[in-house]
Amino acid sequence: MNPDPELLKEAWQHRKEHPQSIYDRSGVWRFRDLLHFYPDNKDLSQILVSMDGEEGRTKPFMLSKVAEYVGLKSNNFYLQFEGDNPTGSFKDNGMAAGFTHAKMVNANKVACASTGNTSSSMAAFAANEGDINAYVFMGSGRISIGKLAQTLEYGANAIQILGDFDDAMKTVQAVSKEMGIYLLNSLNAYRLEGQKTIIYRLLEGLKWEVPDLVVCPGGNLGNTSAFGKALTEPYKWGFIDKLPRIVVVNANGANTLDRIYNEEKIRWSYTDDLWNDKIKEFYTKLDEENFKAHTIASAIEIGKPINLPKALRALYETKGMVVSVSDQEILDAKAIVGRNGFGCEPASAASVAGIKKLTEEGIIDKDTFAVGILTGHQLKDPKATIEYHKSSANKFANPPIEVPNDIDKILEALRK
Ligand SMILES: *Cc1c(COP(=O)(O)O)cnc(C)c1O
């Protein structure tokens, strides 16, 4: 493939402004030229899967209060709100592509292990297609209420196992193999192809001016891997003239990548496989420690990220960085995102908390041009939000004012 950058940029813009079909409207399929795993000599509607063109219709926004909070100049700082997808998370980008491939191989059953957003997305696409059965494997008790509600409502078969996400991930792979089910976790390479469009929209939204940093939360590291590809390919083809550094933000309680990258200093290599042996050794150590991931940011509560090798490659290619943040830092950052009239779920706010950490530690300065990805919608996890605001111990809490139903008492309370 040797695409012509200027012609393609024009074509993408034209599809957006004058859509001829739902595939031109779709923020994923608008960029179909760079996701070339389907035979394009056929009628697109026979092949491509889409939620009526609604997936991936996102772009980067400037949020001045968040910029101030993280310590960057507001015209140098953007957040891309992937919560604006049909099922409320970035997963719809990948699911459109993964489902397309599932249909190409005539799958009639699909499965995933999920902390909630993959399952919501997969269940919705399955419901929309109508002739595909969805099986969702979840750990017990950790899935947030909004995501569980979606998964059940869209009619997926929900299998709740005793264990955490890492257990569910292992189980779904074994069951899918046994039953011939098409697996739609982010180890699915086609899903990652779809997630590349998050970066295309980001660059398009910045008029192809390349930021210094692209920051995302790290869970199973599907985005990290997809972003690596989405940046290095256009760089090679001349769409952009420099590579931003990818910054992955872990939660302190689910910091496997941080430990591997910053403590063990394991790096990807093209020439040998030593890094792979070192990861195996490290995972044995995690097992010996009986390590279990634990964070309020349930979407990134993952101990053994399935895309670790691909993510290490993305970090290598883009000279990336990895940082970890506490649950408190995540929730404070989330509250500030809310103060801009936006909102996100806890895992997403790790992007913001991570950038703040980098400015505070002097690793980047106020002139750095950074874009953070807000991965999921605020209403995915209302419990975390309400608990934060009810406790006045939290820095940005906004607890309800409790007063008797009495005008004088209310006026008195409001004048305080
Ligand atoms: C899935 C998910 C993540 C983690 O993304 P990975 O690609 O698995 O690293 C982060 N935030 C939200 C809201 C998610 O749904």
Side-chain angles (χ1 to χ4, degrees), residues 331-332 334-336 338-339 378 382-401:
L331 291 173
D332 287 342
K334 181 171 120 47
I336 297 294
R339 292 281 171 93
Q378 180 190 38
K383 194 164 159 263
T385 307
I386 292 166
E387 279 172 8
Y388 180 89
H389 286 292
K390 277 193 157 175
S391 163
S392 50
N394 290 316
K395 214 192 267 171
F396 308 107
N398 182 24
I401 304 165

Side-chain angles (χ1 to χ4, degrees), residues 401 403-416:
I401 304 165
V403 278
N405 190 10
D406 174 297
I407 304 289
D408 290 335
K409 295 245 162 63
I410 292 172
L411 290 176
E412 192 185 321
L414 290 181
R415 285 184 180 129
K416 251 189 219 159

Side-chain angles (χ1 to χ4, degrees), residues 171-196:
T171 305
V172 75
Q173 293 185 68
V175 173
S176 298
K177 201 165 163 210
E178 197 62 37
M179 286 179 61
I181 305 179
Y182 187 93
L183 201 55
L184 273 168
N185 273 99
S186 59
L187 56 83
N188 180 310
Y190 304 97
R191 247 193 67 188
L192 298 188
E193 281 296 296
Q195 286 168 218
K196 288 194 320 193

Side-chain angles (χ1 to χ4, degrees), residues 89-91 117 195 217-223 299-300 345 347-348 375-376:
S89 85
F90 77 82
K91 298 295 196 302
N117 280 336
Q195 286 168 218
N220 249 331
L221 304 176
N223 267 343
I300 52 173
E345 65 169 283
S348 316
T375 44

Side-chain angles (χ1 to χ4, degrees), residues 78-92:
Y78 291 76
L79 288 172
Q80 184 153 308
F81 187 54
E82 290 296 320
D84 256 351
N85 269 285
T87 75
S89 85
F90 77 82
K91 298 295 196 302
D92 293 344

